[in-house]
Amino acid sequence: MAAATAEDGAMEERTFTIFIRALRATNLRGTRDALNSLVRVEFGKRPPSDSPVVVDNRSPEYNHNVELQLPRNQQLLADLASQQVAVSVLEQNPKDKKTVVIATGTLDLCPLLRGKTQWEQSLTLTSTPLVTSAAGAAAAAAAASVDVPAPAEPPAQLLVSVDASEPLVTQQLADMLNLITIRVQGIYALPESWTSSSTLAARDFKASLSSGGGGGGGGGGPAAAAAGDAAGHPHTVGTGISPAR
C-alpha cells in the first residue's frame, strides 16, 4: 500500500502559481462625469476575475488580487510565451448597474520565462470607441467655445504587480530559450465590404504566418525572416488575412 501511495504522489501534477495584482489606475475617462469603475483580469480560457466597483473616482485604487494556478508542464512554457493577460476597465451605470468596457490593455508574462519572479509594471490602456467618441465631442465643444485647440489628454494607465511562487525556469534554461515577438503593425488593402462598421463589429478576423521549413533549401520562410538577420535587425513580414469562420 505504501508503494502505491508513493507512486500516486509522484504522478500528481505540480502547479505553478502566479499572483497578479491590479493596483490603481490613472487618467481614466468614461462616458459620465462621475466615473464608477471596476477592473477585470482574464487569462486564457479561465473565468474572468472582477474587482469591486470604485465609485466616483478617475484614479481608482483597485488593489484587486488574482491567483493563477497553472499546471507545471511543457505546455506551460508555450502558453506563457503565446498568451497575454487581458485587462479591462469597465464603467458601471449607477442606475441599472450595467457595465461597459471603457479601456483595455495586456500584460506580458514572458519575464517569467527569463527567470524573473516579481515585478511592477505600468500598463498603457487603450480607450474604447465608446469613450473616444464621447471625449472627442466634449473636446470639440470646449475648443469651439474658446477658439483654442484642446490639449491632448494623457493615456490611461494601470499599475500592476506580478509575483510567482518560485522561479519558472533555471538560469541555464532561461539563457537557452529563444523568443520571437511578432507585432501586428497594420492591415492594408481590405475589401470595402470588410470596412463597414457593422461588419467590423460582428466579425473576427484571423491572420496566419507560415513557419517555413528550411528543409535543406536554406530558406527559413517568413518566420525566419521575422526573427531578423545575423546582426539582430528585425525584418518586416507580409501575410494574408481572412474572415474567421
Side-chain angles (χ1 to χ4, degrees), residues 93-117:
N93 187 317
K95 294 182 178 180
D96 59 17
K97 306 303 181 183
K98 292 182 178 179
T99 58
V100 293
V101 177
I102 58 173
T104 60
T106 56
L107 171 63
D108 189 356
L109 296 178
C110 280
L112 296 171
L113 302 177
R114 302 185 183 98
K116 291 191 75 171
T117 57

Side-chain angles (χ1 to χ4, degrees), residues 8 38 72 77 163-164 185 192 202 207 212:
D8 291 343
L38 60 99
R72 186 162 187 153
L77 299 181
D163 286 275
Q185 294 183 323
E192 185 176 349

Side-chain angles (χ1 to χ4, degrees), residues 94-182:
K95 294 182 178 180
D96 59 17
K97 306 303 181 183
K98 292 182 178 179
T99 58
V100 293
V101 177
I102 58 173
T104 60
T106 56
L107 171 63
D108 189 356
L109 296 178
C110 280
L112 296 171
L113 302 177
R114 302 185 183 98
K116 291 191 75 171
T117 57
Q118 59 181 5
W119 71 92
E120 276 194 3
Q121 183 176 348
S122 185
L123 306 178
T124 298
L125 303 178
T126 301
S127 297
T128 60
L130 181 70
V131 174
T132 54
S133 59
S145 64
V146 296
D147 198 26
V148 175
E153 295 191 38
Q157 303 275 334
L158 179 69
L159 182 64
V160 300
S161 67
V162 179
D163 286 275
S165 56
E166 58 184 320
L168 177 61
V169 296
T170 64
Q171 189 58 51
Q172 181 181 9
L173 180 57
D175 293 340
M176 294 171 59
L177 288 174
N178 290 317
L179 298 176
I180 299 177
T181 300
I182 300 174

